[in-house]
Amino acid sequence: MSLELPAEIFYGGDYNPEQWSREVWHEDMRLMREAGVNLVTLGVFSWTNLETSEGHYDFGWLDEIFDLLHENGIGVDLATATASPPAWLTKAHPELLPVNAAGTRLAHGGRQGYCVSSPIYKRKAAELASELVKRYGSHPALKMWHINNEYGCHNPLCFCEVSAENWRIWLKEKYETLDALNRAWGTNFWSQRYHQWDEINPPRQTPDGTFPNPTQMLDYRRFSSDQILDLYLAEKAAIRAVDTIHPITTNFMSMKHSMNIDYWRWASEVDFVATDHYLIAEDPENYIDLAFQADLTRGFASGKPWLLMEHSTSAVNWQERNLAKADGEMLCNSLTHVARGSNGSMFFQWRASVSGSEKYHSAMVPHAGEDSRIFRNVKQLGEELQKLTEIAAHPTEKAQVAMVFDYQSWWALAQRNLPTTSIDYPELAHDWYRALWKLGVRVDFVSPDASPLVLAQYRAVLMPMTYMLSEQQERKFAEYVSQGGSLVASYFTGISNLDDTVKLGGYGGALVRESLGVLVEEFAPVRQTERVLLSNGAFGTEWAEFAKATTAEVVATYQDGVSAGSAAIAKKERSWYIGTRLDEASLMSFFDDFSLELQLEKRGGNGVEVIRRGSYEFAIDHTQKTFVWSQIND
Ligand code: GLA
């Protein structure tokens, strides 16, 4: 068996048999077979049922389920069960519970209640992973390992004393000297200069109306993402010490506002990329966010197949209004993921719970039972996926355009003392993606550290608000432009280096000044209720600037507002600079011209997406909630 995602199409979901009687287990097997389920994720939240007190393990029920699944031809994605520590552990070691920025230690009772720097949690989690691999590592039903669950979902940052100690170690490794740290953080401001390492604390809550040092905050996010990665690596090492044949992964979260983990950094540590995606129910075009997240996930996987580990058959139970999916919607969602590179469609969860916090979350087997709309859809999807098994070995067709997506910039843009609080990094990236999606232009995602070779595969690279760029990154993108690549950068791109120190001599640094030929002198944010008219009839919101084209040609100037007459959109050779947040119609017209000029391939549009994977072409009509797929020859 290889350490990659097997070339199969997986179908199933989280299975929590500990919530049910043995009688139900047998019914589950029958229904799983009927639905075509071939993989279930076991044990995500089972720690307390597997280790009932320190060092006392009860694997009896899991042994039984493993065998039952195997007899029924169903594979297991085995979770290490470490997502939520049991009450006996937090009672014995309350110091492993997380502490928030205000200094309050949070209580046991929800989930993911642990400090990401806790050595006790880390040791106990690795021990459990170790016990599980010894017991199930060679079970014939085992297909893959699923470490923890959605790391960083509820406990991304902990502010306790143990975290503070680890933080100082991390800082010493990064900066070596206090002088270097003081320089990077700009501590000669507000009397923040440090003279001893132990004066430095996590960026805890500061007096009202003030903010923690922005670079300290940024570093704390980097540190926390690294601490969480260390937890993952400790469990991974425990498994690898025994099982060298099954692939190991953890489920990422691909949700519009899940920003806590730098998945570009994590992607190389998983044997294959897996993710969870939930629709934003209130968004009538939420299938575009789905496409965005699936494409981003394929980016983490470097274009290779990945696995959708969770989504929902219908409503979730954690949004304001949990809308049910329309007929056909769940099938369209699943096939969009498959077309965009997922080797299957997995759900949270197999059978809807009758108690606990998620009892109103939809499942593959709903409360209504098998004679239900949902279960009929589930069976239909199972049949559809069985016809697509051959696709699993093939990647999704490469796009001609790449968008840079940068967690580091996102983190820096999360500070609250920016020129406008209207700044929302993922929103701008979504604006651009949505316009291209509607035009039928596909987009791949790349990291700001993508190699020149990777960039060279694309006709255009988009940089919506890539706020931080190191000199090296700046040079790489400049080179891409000088070699004939087309770059589209927005306002607030290339503003600071990776320490969040502003570059002088025109905002946007050398990239905006030289490669794009624009000198940005001053920002001029727009009132929330207003928009600015541009000379080409377009409208901008949120942001305007005092800027002039030096070596670029002006495409549009601001017609009103304080910066009237300044360059709003500029073009130099095949690259563009956009100095405002264009509204949807203006953005579509911009990208329409852009795709015409670059002669980009267009397929679908108007609510229909057309995607090719291997020799298959999928046409998914989100307005009608219907799909067709066919084999193509070209
Ligand atoms: C996440 C978790 C699951 C479940 C679902 C509900 O993805 O991993 O355990 O809570 O959300 O939507």
Side-chain angles (χ1 to χ4, degrees):
M1 204 174 285
S2 92
L3 287 181
E4 297 201 332
L5 176 61
E8 292 172 45
I9 292 291
F10 292 109
Y11 187 42
D14 280 23
Y15 183 34
N16 297 305
E18 62 268 50
Q19 295 176 17
W20 301 97
S21 67
R22 279 177 174 66
E23 207 186 329
V24 177
W25 294 3
H26 288 277
E27 188 185 78
D28 284 338
M29 297 305 120
R30 175 179 67 79
L31 293 177
M32 282 183 192
R33 279 201 320 266
E34 217 172 283
V37 164
N38 60 9
L39 185 75
V40 294
T41 303
L42 277 184
V44 174
F45 293 104
S46 304
W47 193 338
T48 193
N49 296 75
L50 291 173
E51 189 178 1
T52 52
S53 61
E54 172 87 50
H56 290 99
Y57 297 99
D58 173 9
F59 291 120
W61 65 273
L62 193 56
D63 291 352
E64 242 182 277
I65 277 288
F66 247 96
D67 293 344
L68 207 52
L69 287 163
H70 184 54
E71 282 160 25
N72 285 277
I74 299 160
V76 174
D77 162 38
L78 185 58
T80 54
T82 54
S84 284
W88 58 258
L89 184 56
T90 54
K91 181 174 172 237
H93 297 284
E95 68 276 25
L96 70 72
L97 288 163
V99 170
N100 69 13
T104 305
R105 194 171 289 284
L106 306 174
H108 183 94
R111 65 176 187 183
Q112 237 179 37
Y114 59 85
C115 152
V116 298
S117 295
S118 164
I120 299 159
Y121 170 80
K122 191 179 190 174
R123 176 175 56 78
K124 287 300 300 170
E127 272 173 24
L128 182 56
S130 195
E131 291 299 322
L132 285 165
V133 69
K134 279 191 256 161
R135 195 159 186 106
Y136 302 104
S138 51
H139 195 288
L142 184 69
K143 284 271 181 188
M144 59 186 77
W145 289 97
H146 176 297
I147 293 185
N148 204 281
N149 191 64
E150 294 191 340
Y151 272 116
C153 179
H154 307 287
N155 60 348
L157 310 171
C158 177
F159 297 85
C160 74
E161 269 314 307
V162 176
S163 303
E165 277 166 33
N166 282 13
W167 161 235
R168 288 178 205 119
I169 296 169
W170 187 92
L171 289 172
K172 279 184 200 161
E173 269 168 26
K174 175 168 181 179
Y175 291 107
E176 290 175 9
T177 67
L178 270 176
D179 265 355
L181 178 144
N182 280 311
R183 215 175 14 257
W185 289 11
T187 54
N188 283 341
F189 186 76
W190 280 1
S191 188
Q192 288 179 352
R193 193 167 189 86
Y194 296 105
H195 301 280
Q196 302 291 332
W197 289 99
D198 63 7
E199 293 165 3
I200 306 172
N201 282 311
R204 297 183 175 122
Q205 192 173 321
T206 52
D208 278 358
T210 75
F211 311 104
N213 178 296
T215 313
Q216 178 190 11
M217 192 64 222
L218 174 63
D219 268 343
Y220 207 66
R221 288 190 179 277
R222 291 170 172 150
F223 156 77
S224 301
S225 178
D226 285 357
Q227 291 285 282
I228 302 174
L229 184 57
D230 280 352
L231 294 178
Y232 167 81
L233 292 174
E235 289 197 36
K236 185 180 171 188
I239 295 171
R240 270 289 163 263
V242 178
D243 177 353
T244 53
I245 60 171
H246 294 102
I248 301 175
T249 194
T250 183
N251 46 344
F252 292 176
M253 287 177 288
S254 50
M255 264 76 85
K256 196 171 189 176
H257 290 101
S258 77
M259 62 179 295
N260 294 323
I261 300 221
D262 185 343
Y263 290 130
W264 293 116
R265 190 159 149 55
W266 278 57
S268 55
E269 305 291 354
V270 291
D271 291 332
F272 65 88
V273 171
T275 201
D276 300 346
H277 180 262
Y278 289 93
L279 291 179
I280 303 154
E282 296 266 14
D283 173 5
E285 294 179 337
N286 54 19
Y287 45 84
I288 304 182
D289 172 62
L290 186 157
F292 180 109
Q293 303 299 344
D295 286 348
L296 179 58
T297 305
R298 194 180 58 255
F300 300 143
S302 303
K304 289 197 295 209
W306 48 276
L307 182 59
L308 176 70
M309 199 59 104
E310 288 181 26
H311 68 149
S312 66
T313 54
S314 190
V316 299
N317 71 319
W318 43 265
Q319 297 183 12
E320 292 285 316
R321 278 155 293 280
N322 298 298
L323 310 188
K325 289 191 181 177
D327 283 335
E329 191 172 356
M330 181 273 270
L331 274 101
C332 287
N333 296 161
S334 298
L335 290 181
T336 306
H337 282 296
V338 170
R340 292 181 186 273
S342 174
N343 271 5
S345 175
M346 304 282 292
F347 293 90
F348 175 82
Q349 58 178 333
W350 163 250
R351 187 182 274 279
S353 309
V354 287
S355 45
S357 286
E358 298 194 289
K359 55 183 173 294
Y360 297 121
H361 192 290
S362 62
M364 296 173 84
V365 181
H367 291 149
E370 61 186 294
D371 185 11
S372 58
R373 183 181 80 104
I374 288 186
F375 194 66
R376 280 187 285 279
N377 286 337
V378 163
K379 284 196 288 191
Q380 195 189 340
L381 178 58
E383 283 162 23
E384 212 60 50
L385 292 176
Q386 269 163 17
K387 296 182 221 154
L388 287 165
T389 43
E390 194 196 305
I391 214 175
H394 303 282
T396 298
E397 185 185 47
K398 229 176 165 37
Q400 295 176 316
V401 174
M403 183 183 285
V404 175
F405 193 80
D406 183 21
Y407 286 91
Q408 305 280 322
S409 288
W410 191 356
W411 292 345
L413 289 170
Q415 59 183 291
R416 287 164 55 215
N417 31 14
L418 297 173
T420 166
T421 56
S422 299
I423 279 181
D424 187 328
Y425 172 65
E427 283 298 338
L428 187 69
H430 272 74
D431 280 5
W432 287 25
Y433 182 92
R434 193 181 312 113
L436 288 158
W437 189 100
K438 289 188 173 178
L439 292 165
V441 176
R442 294 218 16 251
V443 175
D444 284 347
F445 284 90
V446 293
S447 131
D449 290 318
S451 72
L453 249 114
V454 166
L455 296 184
Q457 296 168 7
Y458 295 99
R459 289 203 196 165
V461 170
L462 311 179
M463 300 181 86
M465 225 158 23
T466 313
Y467 168 77
M468 289 196 300
L469 284 176
S470 67
E471 269 178 37
Q472 197 196 352
Q473 290 168 331
E474 207 171 60
R475 268 201 306 277
K476 181 185 63 189
F477 290 109
E479 225 172 271
Y480 171 75
V481 173
S482 69
Q483 286 169 1
S486 167
L487 189 79
V488 185
S490 81
Y491 59 95
F492 229 37
T493 289
I495 298 296
S496 74
N497 65 13
L498 301 190
D499 294 331
D500 196 9
T501 302
V502 174
K503 297 172 194 166
L504 300 177
Y507 288 123
L511 190 68
V512 171
R513 228 174 30 234
E514 287 154 30
S515 304
L516 302 179
V518 178
L519 190 78
V520 182
E521 250 185 60
E522 191 182 336
F523 309 133
V526 174
R527 286 192 182 89
Q528 209 176 4
T529 50
E530 288 176 4
R531 54 185 194 167
V532 280
L533 174 66
L534 271 51
S535 57
N536 63 351
F539 283 102
T541 62
E542 289 181 8
W543 194 275
E545 295 175 331
F546 291 90
K548 57 175 177 260
T550 49
T551 54
E553 77 189 72
V554 175
V555 175
T557 53
Y558 297 103
Q559 291 292 96
D560 46 31
V562 286
S563 62
S566 276
I569 304 177
K571 178 166 186 254
K572 183 172 172 178
E573 285 149 30
R574 288 153 61 89
S575 293
W576 285 263
Y577 177 76
I578 307 180
T580 181
R581 183 173 177 189
L582 292 173
D583 68 8
E584 183 164 327
S586 312
L587 206 50
M588 281 193 65
S589 138
F590 172 85
F591 278 122
D592 204 17
D593 294 348
F594 157 87
S595 48
L596 212 69
E597 180 159 343
L598 268 60
Q599 297 180 332
L600 299 177
E601 237 162 42
K602 284 185 183 174
R603 290 197 203 106
N606 290 327
V608 180
E609 58 186 314
V610 178
I611 312 141
R612 292 182 176 183
R613 181 173 175 191
S615 58
Y616 291 76
E617 183 173 273
F618 294 80
I620 302 169
D621 183 342
H622 294 280
T623 60
Q624 302 302 313
K625 315 284 179 224
T626 55
F627 61 87
V628 283
W629 50 263
S630 55
Q631 288 203 269
I632 41 167
N633 302 317
D634 63 345

